[in-house]
Amino acid sequence: MSTSVTAHVTMDLEISEELAFRTPVELHYTSADPYAVRLTFTLAGDPPVSWVFARELLVDGVSMPTGDGDVRVSPCRAEPGIGAAPGPQPAPDGACPPDRVRIELRVGAEQAVMSMGTWPLLAFLDRSSRLVPLGRETSYQDINAALERILSCESPG
């Protein structure tokens, strides 16, 4: 029997330098697909858009840049310049504020950049690791069910 964790968060979505806004996002993790996280968002007037990628990308991306390909995750940290005042500094151009995680989603030349608070993401990842501890995914994976889904062209539920 599979169990799941869902978190509803708000992310900043940057479509381009001219177009950015906040949007509700659903993060979903299920023990039936123990390596993956599903991120779903809906833009007004459009059907929901889902991305499925490795949970490990989010885990690693909280503390260091990771991913090469369609999904990249990195922490947002403002780097103080020489002579900068102590304390939080504004983020450099094109970056997000500190204590946030940046998620880049790419399809060909198109790119969307999202950022969310680090703490809500850590809480979601903690809940997912209570279901399936990191490094123990193979114990929870039903190979036969996964193979059947692939062969029947179904997506995980």
Side-chain angles (χ1 to χ4, degrees):
M1 181 170 97
S2 69
T3 53
S4 63
V5 173
T6 301
H8 297 276
V9 298
T10 301
M11 288 189 169
D12 294 332
L13 175 61
E14 179 185 315
I15 302 299
S16 68
E17 288 185 26
E18 298 82 31
L19 180 60
F21 50 90
R22 302 199 90 172
T23 187
V25 173
E26 179 182 278
L27 293 168
H28 183 77
Y29 178 82
T30 177
S31 62
D33 192 4
Y35 290 101
V37 169
R38 180 181 303 269
L39 181 149
T40 303
F41 59 96
T42 305
L43 303 177
D46 290 333
V49 175
S50 290
W51 283 75
V52 179
F53 49 89
R55 173 172 66 158
E56 189 175 356
L57 278 175
L58 291 177
V59 170
D60 292 345
V62 168
S63 59
M64 64 184 175
T66 188
D68 56 356
D70 294 339
V71 180
R72 296 178 185 196
V73 183
S74 60
C76 298
R77 292 198 176 87
E79 298 295 329
I82 296 173
Q89 302 293 314
D93 289 341
C96 53
D99 299 324
R100 295 184 69 78
V101 175
R102 179 182 171 102
I103 302 171
E104 297 177 32
L105 307 172
R106 298 175 190 217
V107 176
E110 300 295 319
Q111 173 178 305
V113 177
M114 305 179 93
S115 67
M116 69 176 293
T118 302
W119 292 113
L121 179 56
L122 287 172
F124 170 77
L125 292 170
D126 180 61
R127 290 172 51 212
S128 77
S129 69
R130 289 183 201 173
L131 290 181
V132 178
L134 292 167
R136 301 275 323 270
E137 291 88 355
T138 56
S139 304
Y140 291 81
Q141 189 171 31
D142 183 348
I143 300 296
N144 291 328
L147 183 58
E148 188 175 316
R149 273 196 313 272
I150 291 168
L151 294 175
S152 67
C153 298
E154 292 179 17
S155 63

